Amino acid sequence: MRSPRQRALRTTLVVALSTAFSFSPSMLRADPQAAPADDPQARAAERKKAGDQAMELLRYEDALAAYGEAYAITKNPALLYNMGRALEALNRFPEALDKLMAFDAAAPLDLKARVPRLPTLIAELRQRVATLDIVTNVEGARIVVRNVVVGKSPLAAPLKLVAGPAEIEVDAEGYFGAKKTVTLEGGAAETVRFELFSRATTGVLTVRASAPSAEVLVDGKPIGVAPVELNVPKGTHKITVRHPDFRVYETSAVVPAGGYKAVTAALEAKSVVTRWWFWTGLGAVAAAGAAVTVAAFTERAPHAGTIAPGQLTTEASGGGGATLFQF
């Protein structure tokens, strides 16, 4: 089922392709498919018509290929617009932006006047495209973005990518590979840096903990919250894992050059007598017990009182005195 966006895009394209961006009469024939193979203009007209038909059927890949063939023959700037809209429908926004900007630069004013929304289209695409530069300390490292090899370091120019999450991998022979996940913001530029470590002099240390939110230190330096993975020089390293509810865990690990070493910290709960709340509670109970003891065993003199021996009377409702209590 076609989405509302696809239907709207199809309507826009059909109108544009059938009116604004037609070839000159000399390039169109009654039966383009019957044109001689050695007639490039007829071939271009046939390919353009095939592209229009593919767009109407939402076969955007086929349309893009047909328009590309026609443009290779004629260099007609109208085909740049058509290719840009096909690329947009395929969610290939960076390429679509390039085609529309090329059309904007190459098309004559009367042709651009037929696309009054061109500046808006370009502005909208810019918000869907992010610029990414990737820098590493090793020349010739392979760079992979979203599972596609985009080149080797240093890149000739920053990458134009669809905005959104992106996983970046960098690797080189003789070095440990590195990977990062970033969120690319549309209309913005970002630089991501990688430091690759030699397999000849370093290894990979992984530290996990049996409790969440445990802090990891390696050779006395805070690294982060477990689990952590880092490159360290080959040799012996001191590992410390701390958590407020558990005993401090300490151990040593030998990390081989070019290899891996994993350490799992089995954290032990602290003794109950070392917890502050136990002693606070015990102190409160002890204090209460002492107060009871003092109250129970301290003798006090009887209260002398202020009422003289005799009778205690009060006013009754009838006006006379009534005896309440007699000593």
Side-chain angles (χ1 to χ4, degrees):
M1 181 179 294
R2 297 171 181 173
S3 67
R5 178 177 177 275
Q6 287 178 318
R7 289 194 294 269
L9 180 59
R10 177 184 179 277
T11 301
T12 302
L13 288 169
V14 169
V15 172
L17 298 174
S18 62
T19 58
F21 300 147
S22 57
F23 288 121
S24 62
S26 63
M27 297 176 62
L28 298 175
R29 298 175 182 270
D31 185 6
Q33 294 183 353
D38 59 352
D39 186 343
Q41 297 301 325
R43 173 64 178 171
E46 180 272 322
R47 290 286 76 205
K48 191 266 181 186
K49 181 178 180 180
D52 292 349
Q53 293 172 342
M55 288 296 288
E56 292 189 27
L57 297 173
L58 306 184
R59 290 169 21 212
Y60 303 122
E61 290 282 5
D62 294 341
L64 180 62
Y67 289 142
E69 291 180 50
Y71 181 76
I73 298 171
T74 67
K75 303 302 180 185
N76 187 321
L79 291 164
L80 293 171
Y81 178 88
N82 294 359
M83 286 188 283
R85 299 313 301 272
L87 287 163
E88 180 186 0
L90 291 168
N91 294 330
R92 292 162 60 176
F93 303 131
E95 297 166 87
L97 178 60
D98 287 343
K99 294 299 183 187
L100 291 187
M101 291 180 66
F103 169 76
D104 188 34
L109 293 177
D110 61 332
L111 185 58
K112 288 197 291 185
R114 300 179 186 180
V115 193
R117 291 191 68 253
L118 180 62
T120 301
L121 291 173
I122 291 176
E124 290 175 349
L125 283 173
R126 281 199 173 111
Q127 292 305 309
R128 295 180 175 183
V129 176
T131 302
L132 174 65
D133 196 11
I134 300 171
V135 179
T136 181
N137 61 318
V138 177
E139 186 174 351
R142 187 183 68 143
I143 300 175
V144 180
V145 180
R146 292 172 176 157
N147 298 319
V148 176
V149 178
V150 297
K152 293 186 176 182
S153 62
L155 293 173
L159 304 172
K160 300 290 186 181
L161 301 170
V162 176
E167 185 178 77
I168 308 168
E169 300 175 68
V170 179
D171 58 65
E173 186 175 355
Y175 292 83
F176 287 100
K179 181 186 300 185
K180 292 182 181 180
T181 299
V182 298
T183 299
L184 303 176
E185 183 179 349
E190 183 171 349
T191 298
V192 179
R193 302 181 183 277
F194 286 86
E195 182 179 5
L196 301 186
F197 294 87
S198 171
R199 289 180 174 272
T201 58
T202 68
V204 176
L205 173 64
T206 303
V207 181
R208 300 180 178 87
S210 59
S213 304
E215 181 187 14
V216 178
L217 295 86
V218 176
D219 297 327
K221 297 179 180 179
I223 302 301
V225 175
V228 299
E229 183 177 276
L230 67 155
N231 290 88
V232 295
K234 63 180 181 180
T236 303
H237 297 273
K238 180 182 178 181
I239 300 164
T240 304
V241 181
R242 301 187 301 202
H243 192 289
D245 295 334
F246 297 87
R247 294 179 181 273
V248 175
Y249 176 93
E250 292 184 331
T251 190
S252 295
V254 178
V255 180
Y260 298 81
K261 179 64 178 180
V263 174
T264 299
L267 301 180
E268 298 180 1
K270 292 181 178 180
S271 171
V272 68
V273 296
T274 64
R275 296 176 182 167
W276 68 268
W277 54 263
F278 174 83
W279 286 112
T280 301
L282 185 61
V285 172
V292 171
T293 302
V294 170
F297 293 98
T298 301
E299 184 177 355
R300 292 183 296 177
H303 198 284
T306 58
I307 303 175
Q311 294 182 342
L312 177 65
T313 61
T314 184
E315 294 292 330
S317 59
T323 301
L324 292 180
F325 192 85
Q326 184 173 8
F327 292 97

